[in-house]
């Protein structure tokens, strides 16, 4: 089996487990679903489940730990002439387009399920927190600052995470009729303008 085919099969299995976890929790609630249930719905063994996710909650949230540093890597690769804000805005535009392009029901179902279970909200925030720490390090490198000693890298990384989360909440509130990339861009427009109060 070629490495490309092997990787595609792994991604397909991971997606099948994530979708199974979401569907089952939507049907039965979080406490009514076990790892065995998820593995059975996805057509794999419980042992295979643990090759992809450490816990049931992680399978439901479904964000790959290896993707946590993706935003930081993309940020570091942006052209040097862009300001940190411009670079982050471009990174988030790309991420939003990818999220909106996932299987049509994936993010809507994920957000609805997570919104109904506070423990999953905490898990999602932990994932976002890891991503923000990696991003802060990349911002520090780009700006010649130091995480911890200087406010800028940690503050910008945190604000960028809030922008994405606010856009996701607005997407959920619109019943997914709005464009996620447009909502993310709107969040950055408001931030870049200095957070002016909305006019009635």
């Amino acid at each position: 089996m070629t490495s490309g085919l092997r990787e595609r099969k792994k991604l397909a299995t991971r997606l099948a487990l994530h979708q199974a976890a979401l569907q089952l929790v939507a049907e039965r609630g979080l406490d009514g679903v076990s790892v065995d249930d998820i593995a059975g719905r996805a057509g794999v063994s419980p042992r295979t489940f643990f090759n992809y996710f450490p816990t049931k909650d992680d399978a439901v949230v479904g964000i790959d730990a290896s993707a946590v540093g993706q935003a930081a890597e993309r940020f570091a690769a942006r052209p040097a002439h862009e300001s940190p804000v411009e670079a982050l805005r471009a990174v988030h535009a790309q991420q939003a387009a990818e999220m909106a392009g996932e299987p049509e029901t994936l993010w809507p179902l994920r957000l609805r399920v997570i919104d109904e279970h506070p423990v999953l909200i905490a898990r999602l925030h932990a994932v976002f927190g890891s991503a923000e720490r990696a991003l802060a390090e990349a911002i520090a490198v780009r700006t010649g600052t130091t995480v911890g000693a200087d406010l800028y890298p940690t503050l910008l990384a945190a604000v960028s995470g809030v922008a994405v989360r606010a856009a996701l909440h607005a997407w959920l509130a619109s019943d997914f009729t709005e464009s996620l990339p447009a909502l993310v861009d709107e969040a950055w427009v408001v931030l870049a303008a200095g957070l002016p109060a909305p006019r009635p």
Side-chain angles (χ1 to χ4, degrees):
M1 186 185 298
T2 67
S3 60
L5 178 58
R6 187 180 299 112
E7 191 60 30
R8 286 195 297 275
K9 288 192 71 172
K10 286 174 66 176
L11 288 172
T13 300
R14 193 178 196 287
L15 179 59
L17 284 164
H18 174 44
Q19 289 179 316
L22 282 174
Q23 290 163 356
L24 285 165
V25 171
E27 294 166 10
R28 307 178 189 175
L30 190 60
D31 292 337
V33 177
S34 68
V35 166
D36 286 354
D37 294 331
I38 296 168
R41 174 74 65 95
V44 301
S45 69
R47 182 176 178 179
T48 296
F49 173 96
F50 289 110
N51 289 336
Y52 293 88
F53 297 103
T55 68
K56 174 181 71 176
D57 291 0
D58 288 296
V60 177
V61 172
I63 297 177
D64 189 350
S66 67
V68 164
Q70 187 181 69
E73 292 167 5
R74 289 178 174 179
F75 174 81
R78 295 296 305 173
H81 66 80
E82 292 180 344
S83 72
V85 169
E86 289 170 336
L88 268 177
R89 188 170 176 177
V91 167
H92 284 163
Q94 182 181 359
Q95 285 184 323
E98 290 170 354
M99 290 161 69
E102 285 185 0
E104 187 175 341
T105 60
L106 187 58
W107 265 102
L109 183 58
R110 179 188 283 154
L111 289 177
R112 287 189 179 110
V113 167
I114 290 172
D115 196 53
E116 291 171 5
H117 299 87
V119 67
L120 296 178
I121 295 173
R123 182 71 196 103
L124 185 62
H125 284 180
V127 173
F128 280 136
S130 296
E132 286 170 20
R133 286 190 292 276
L135 185 55
E137 293 289 349
I139 293 168
V141 170
R142 190 182 187 99
T143 57
T145 55
T146 302
V147 173
D150 297 301
L151 282 172
Y152 187 84
T154 303
L155 181 61
L156 181 55
V159 167
S160 73
V162 170
V164 173
R165 289 196 289 278
L168 286 171
H169 283 298
W171 198 32
L172 175 62
S174 77
D175 201 25
F176 307 100
T177 58
E178 298 286 341
S179 161
L180 179 60
L183 289 169
V184 170
D185 192 62
E186 181 184 347
W188 277 104
V189 167
V190 173
L191 285 173
L195 294 173
R199 293 182 178 179

